[in-house]
């Protein structure tokens, strides 16, 4: 009798252990889907959950509440092209030639693009059996050999560069005023579906809505498989246009209208995931490519309490609004650890069980433990480049500012400045005279990092037209 009971207990314990092994090894779980929602020139302060008083973002706020809101999350550049290259490759853009000291970003006359020998997160996930789709602004080369479909995406629908490019040369006057007031028809930008131009100029009043419809279609069409969707909105980069339902609705003017339409779009993506019961096996990430475009005043956004804006390497240029959402997977809370768009590739690859390239330097960290358990972030440092020049270095709470990075030729400061970003997130109180040893340490870290960067062709220089 006693022997029978012991055997039963043994069997029970064995079954329990087997179940636990299966559970913790993830064998019972289906692979996670990934959605990146990327905005253009949205400032750190431009969500109500980051304190904006006159822009209403209920969908983002709910995602932040149900997921993780990161308060110290960085893009790897203060302008579009290099920032996007870092997101796609997990590498500082100087390593791929996508950051330049000659031209700020790629233009319609550019011949360059993200080199084919770079490995993108789309290529990694595609290799792991994912369906991959991109909707929106690419800005890593618009010639056929550089489009998203050559970099791991099965499909592409979007404007290949900034929505203010290809401006009608007959329109003369102050470029800031034009950016604020001109109709969309003066920007002869193309809308590309896979390799074909389907509309030119693009009716930008409806582009946010149409990107959203394409994104929802991609989710619906791929609901039976694992998928990776990269939805990169063309706005709130100027010029700003909103569709009928959003125009004039925000207290913040057209900039607020645009953000509120993007917030609606976020809600549509989440609703599509819920409708197909995919929300518990999908991680949605929301962030922006760089800080707000200050020169456009009320048509540019807000960095909140951060100093600086787009184009610069003060915090407002590169610290972004950032949310990770994934019910049942992402542990809810506010994360104050450091993170970067550089970390997306190693994090998603790790969560997908895909292999991370080993033969090249990846600057990103795997943040999956932070997402799943609220563990400490492995990222302790951030390097801020102005063009191809290292302009500031952060390690833990201290940041040294070496150059005032506005545009591609950041001017060297007469003396380095030092800030404690924990106690002084607005970079108001220079501590340089108090802590020369910290400045030295930070500069050494920067020099060490720079010594590992190999020179590669500058992808932003070559032009198709001369
Ligand atoms: Mg941008």
């Amino acid at each position: 009798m006693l022997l029978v009971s012991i055997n039963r207990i043994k069997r029970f314990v064995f079954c329990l252990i087997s179940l636990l092994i299966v559970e913790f090894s993830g064998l019972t779980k289906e692979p996670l889907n990934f959605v990146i929602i990327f905005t253009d020139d949205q400032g750190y302060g431009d969500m109500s959950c980051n304190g904006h008083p006159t822009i209403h973002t209920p969908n983002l706020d709910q995602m932040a509440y149900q997921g993780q809101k990161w308060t110290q999350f960085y893009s790897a550049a203060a302008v579009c092209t290099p920032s996007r290259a870092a997101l796609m490759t997990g590498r500082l853009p100087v390593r791929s030639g996508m950051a330049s000291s000659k031209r700020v970003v790629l233009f319609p006359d550019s011949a360059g693009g993200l080199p084919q020998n770079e490995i993108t997160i789309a290529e990694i996930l595609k290799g792991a059996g994912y369906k991959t789709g991109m909707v929106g602004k690419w800005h890593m080369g618009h010639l056929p050999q550089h489009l998203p479909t050559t970099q791991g995406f099965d499909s592409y629908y979007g404007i290949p560069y900034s929505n203010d490019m290809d401006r009608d040369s007959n329109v003369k006057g102050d470029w800031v005023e034009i950016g604020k007031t001109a109709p969309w028809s003066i920007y002869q930008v193309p809308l590309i579906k896979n390799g074909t131009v389907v509309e030119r100029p693009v009716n930008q009043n409806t582009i946010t809505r149409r990107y959203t419809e394409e994104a929802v279609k991609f989710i619906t069409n791929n609901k039976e498989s694992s998928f990776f969707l990269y939805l990169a909105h063309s706005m709130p980069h100027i010029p700003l246009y909103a569709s009928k339902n959003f125009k004039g609705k925000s207290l913040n003017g057209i900039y607020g209208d645009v953000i509120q339409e993007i917030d609606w779009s976020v809600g549509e993506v989440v609703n599509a995931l819920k409708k197909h019961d995919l929300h518990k096996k999908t991680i949605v990430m929301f962030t922006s490519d760089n800080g707000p475009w200050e020169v456009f005043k009320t048509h540019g956004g807000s960095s909140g309490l951060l100093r600086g804006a787009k184009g610069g390497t003060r915090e407002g240029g590169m610290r972004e609004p950032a949310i990770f959402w994934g019910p049942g997977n992402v542990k809810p809370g506010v994360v104050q650890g450091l993170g970067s768009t550089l970390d997306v590739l190693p994090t998603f690859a790790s969560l997908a069980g895909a292999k991370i390239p080993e033969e090249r330097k990846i600057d990103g960290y795997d943040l999956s433990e932070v997402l799943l358990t609220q563990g400490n972030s492995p990222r302790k440092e951030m390097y801020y480049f102005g063009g191809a020049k290292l302009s500031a270095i952060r390690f833990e709470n201290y940041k040294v500012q070496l150059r005032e990075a506005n545009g591609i030729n950041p001017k060297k400061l007469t003396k380095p400045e030092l800030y404690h970003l924990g106690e002084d997130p607005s970079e108001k109180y220079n501590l340089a005279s108090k802590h020369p040893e910290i400045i030295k340490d930070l500069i050494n870290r920067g020099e060490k990092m720079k010594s590992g960067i190999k020179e590669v062709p500058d992808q932003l220089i070559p032009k198709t037209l001369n």
Side-chain angles (χ1 to χ4, degrees), residues 122-247:
E123 286 169 327
I124 290 176
L125 292 174
K126 191 177 165 71
Y130 279 65
K131 302 287 183 198
T132 55
M134 194 207 157
V135 177
K137 173 175 173 175
W138 174 240
H139 216 179
M140 283 174 273
H142 64 280
L143 297 181
Q145 63 271 30
H146 294 305
L147 286 174
T149 39
T150 70
Q151 291 286 7
F153 289 100
D154 299 327
S155 60
Y156 175 56
Y157 176 91
I159 300 173
Y161 35 69
S162 297
N163 59 334
D164 66 337
M165 291 180 173
D166 291 327
R167 200 178 84 196
D168 182 342
S169 55
N170 296 317
V171 179
K172 309 276 184 217
D174 176 66
W175 72 287
V176 171
E177 272 318 299
I178 292 170
K180 284 157 73 171
T181 55
W184 54 263
S185 51
I186 72 156
Y187 303 98
Q188 305 284 318
V189 289
L191 181 64
I192 293 180
K193 186 163 191 173
N194 299 319
T196 311
V197 175
V198 292
E199 188 176 320
R200 190 169 199 164
V202 179
N203 180 344
Q204 295 196 41
N205 288 330
T206 55
I207 197 64
T208 300
R209 178 170 61 71
R210 288 189 285 160
Y211 282 171
T212 308
E213 286 164 0
E214 286 293 321
V216 167
K217 211 190 292 171
F218 174 85
I219 291 170
T220 309
N221 290 346
N222 293 288
K223 61 179 195 272
E224 307 295 342
S225 7
S226 305
F227 61 79
F228 166 50
L229 168 65
Y230 173 35
L231 167 56
H233 285 287
S234 288
M235 291 181 221
H237 190 291
I238 65 96
L240 302 171
Y241 307 101
S243 64
K244 208 165 72 248
N245 291 348
F246 294 90
K247 202 170 172 203

Side-chain angles (χ1 to χ4, degrees), residues 39-41 78-80 84 137 237 289-291 310:
T39 55
D40 194 345
D41 296 2
V79 289
C80 303
R84 287 152 202 270
K137 173 175 173 175
H237 190 291
D289 70 333
N290 53 251
K310 175 177 179 172

Side-chain angles (χ1 to χ4, degrees), residues 156-448:
Y156 175 56
Y157 176 91
I159 300 173
Y161 35 69
S162 297
N163 59 334
D164 66 337
M165 291 180 173
D166 291 327
R167 200 178 84 196
D168 182 342
S169 55
N170 296 317
V171 179
K172 309 276 184 217
D174 176 66
W175 72 287
V176 171
E177 272 318 299
I178 292 170
K180 284 157 73 171
T181 55
W184 54 263
S185 51
I186 72 156
Y187 303 98
Q188 305 284 318
V189 289
L191 181 64
I192 293 180
K193 186 163 191 173
N194 299 319
T196 311
V197 175
V198 292
E199 188 176 320
R200 190 169 199 164
V202 179
N203 180 344
Q204 295 196 41
N205 288 330
T206 55
I207 197 64
T208 300
R209 178 170 61 71
R210 288 189 285 160
Y211 282 171
T212 308
E213 286 164 0
E214 286 293 321
V216 167
K217 211 190 292 171
F218 174 85
I219 291 170
T220 309
N221 290 346
N222 293 288
K223 61 179 195 272
E224 307 295 342
S225 7
S226 305
F227 61 79
F228 166 50
L229 168 65
Y230 173 35
L231 167 56
H233 285 287
S234 288
M235 291 181 221
H237 190 291
I238 65 96
L240 302 171
Y241 307 101
S243 64
K244 208 165 72 248
N245 291 348
F246 294 90
K247 202 170 172 203
K249 295 288 160 66
S250 129
L251 295 178
N252 189 248
I254 183 68
Y255 185 88
D257 296 345
V258 164
I259 297 288
Q260 290 186 185
E261 185 160 14
I262 288 173
D263 180 77
W264 161 83
S265 170
V266 167
E268 290 299 293
V269 169
V270 166
N271 288 343
L273 295 170
K274 286 183 177 164
K275 182 178 167 190
H276 301 299
D277 203 23
L278 299 167
H279 53 299
K280 289 196 176 150
K281 54 176 182 180
T282 304
I283 290 185
V284 181
M285 172 200 174
F286 177 91
T287 193
S288 171
D289 70 333
N290 53 251
W293 210 351
E294 216 172 23
V295 67
F296 289 95
K297 298 181 179 163
T298 55
H299 283 233
S302 162
S303 315
L305 55 53
L306 303 178
R307 176 175 172 180
K310 175 177 179 172
T313 51
R314 303 288 180 176
E315 291 296 288
M318 288 174 56
R319 204 191 295 188
E320 309 302 333
I323 300 168
F324 287 87
W325 178 87
N329 290 301
V330 174
K331 191 173 177 192
V334 173
V335 174
Q336 294 187 327
L338 304 194
S340 168
T341 48
L342 289 163
D343 305 330
V344 171
L345 178 142
T347 304
F348 287 0
S350 159
L351 288 167
K355 219 165 157 283
I356 297 165
E358 279 168 5
E359 82 301 343
R360 62 189 63 210
K361 174 71 182 167
I362 300 285
D363 297 288
Y365 291 91
D366 176 0
L367 303 178
S368 55
E369 283 304 302
V370 195
L371 296 183
L372 302 178
T373 69
Q374 285 255 24
N376 290 329
S377 172
R379 175 171 287 281
K380 304 292 174 214
E381 85 282 358
M382 196 63 216
Y383 299 108
Y384 309 64
F385 282 82
K389 291 211 172 76
L390 183 61
S391 301
I393 302 144
R394 175 176 186 171
F395 183 72
E396 296 183 337
N397 276 319
Y398 283 102
K399 176 182 181 184
V400 68
Q401 189 80 35
L402 304 171
R403 292 172 182 270
E404 195 65 80
N406 280 316
I408 42 177
N409 284 313
K411 227 173 74 201
K412 201 166 177 184
L413 297 171
T414 14
K415 282 183 180 169
E417 296 171 10
L418 182 73
Y419 298 95
H420 187 290
L421 293 176
E423 294 171 3
D424 177 23
S426 303
E427 298 170 282
K428 280 184 184 165
Y429 311 112
N430 183 2
L431 302 170
S433 59
K434 277 192 186 162
H435 297 297
E437 76 292 353
I438 297 176
I439 293 183
K440 209 172 146 196
D441 174 62
L442 290 169
I443 291 175
N444 283 343
R445 287 173 188 278
E447 289 302 320
K448 202 171 153 210

